[in-house]
Amino acid sequence: MEQSTKRFRKRDAILECVRSTTSHPSADWVFARLKPVLPDISLATVYRNLSLFKQQGVIASVGTVRGVERFDGNTEPHVHFICHQCDAIIDLPQMQVPQSLSSQAAAEAGGQVDVCQLTFTGICNRCCSKN
């Protein structure tokens, strides 16, 4: 059992790191957070495990912001706002993804919608306040 625990220590730490934040981290962010506590972790290990978790559906890709893929540990349907000035990704928990939108898309495509991600872009309140 000890070998099994040791074997998945990095994988478990990567998943917990993504799930424990609402900042929608990148692989580099996860790596920077874990390197001090797991000195033998590599950036390749982080990328490989994030890809695996995404395939398994235990995390989601929010999208690419300025060429960097960002992740979300919350896989429940919810809406995001991306600030194109500071690159913040903000959850909008009070907004619901309309079911009719998925139904309409399925009808238009003649297929089935598995996931609907609704994302707004603009300038966040913090950046608006600075201007």
Side-chain angles (χ1 to χ4, degrees):
M1 187 63 99
E2 183 178 323
Q3 187 176 20
S4 176
T5 303
K6 190 175 184 179
R7 181 174 166 204
F8 294 109
R9 186 172 58 109
K10 292 175 191 171
R11 182 173 291 170
D12 293 342
I14 293 166
L15 182 58
E16 178 56 29
C17 187
V18 174
R19 285 184 169 168
S20 69
T21 183
T22 58
S23 69
H24 305 88
S26 66
D28 288 329
W29 187 94
V30 172
F31 176 71
R33 289 290 188 274
L34 294 178
K35 188 68 174 169
V37 292
L38 296 170
D40 59 335
I41 197 167
S42 70
L43 185 55
T45 297
V46 173
Y47 273 106
R48 189 172 45 257
N49 281 283
L50 290 174
S51 178
L52 173 68
F53 296 146
K54 193 170 68 169
Q55 286 175 345
Q56 293 174 338
V58 294
I59 66 170
S61 174
V62 178
T64 303
V65 179
R66 296 192 203 264
V68 177
E69 187 173 18
R70 305 278 291 275
F71 300 94
D72 195 343
N74 177 2
T75 58
E76 294 298 315
H78 62 284
V79 179
H80 291 106
F81 178 91
I82 300 175
C83 178
H84 59 73
Q85 195 163 348
C86 70
D87 301 336
I89 300 176
I90 303 163
D91 288 329
L92 303 176
Q94 300 304 317
M95 294 187 72
Q96 298 296 313
V97 177
Q99 182 60 35
S100 61
L101 194 60
S102 292
S103 300
Q104 184 180 356
E108 287 280 328
Q112 174 183 325
V113 172
D114 293 325
V115 177
C116 176
Q117 292 183 334
L118 185 56
T119 303
F120 294 92
T121 59
I123 301 174
C124 71
N125 186 39
R126 192 175 68 198
C127 288
C128 283
S129 297
K130 289 179 185 176
N131 296 335

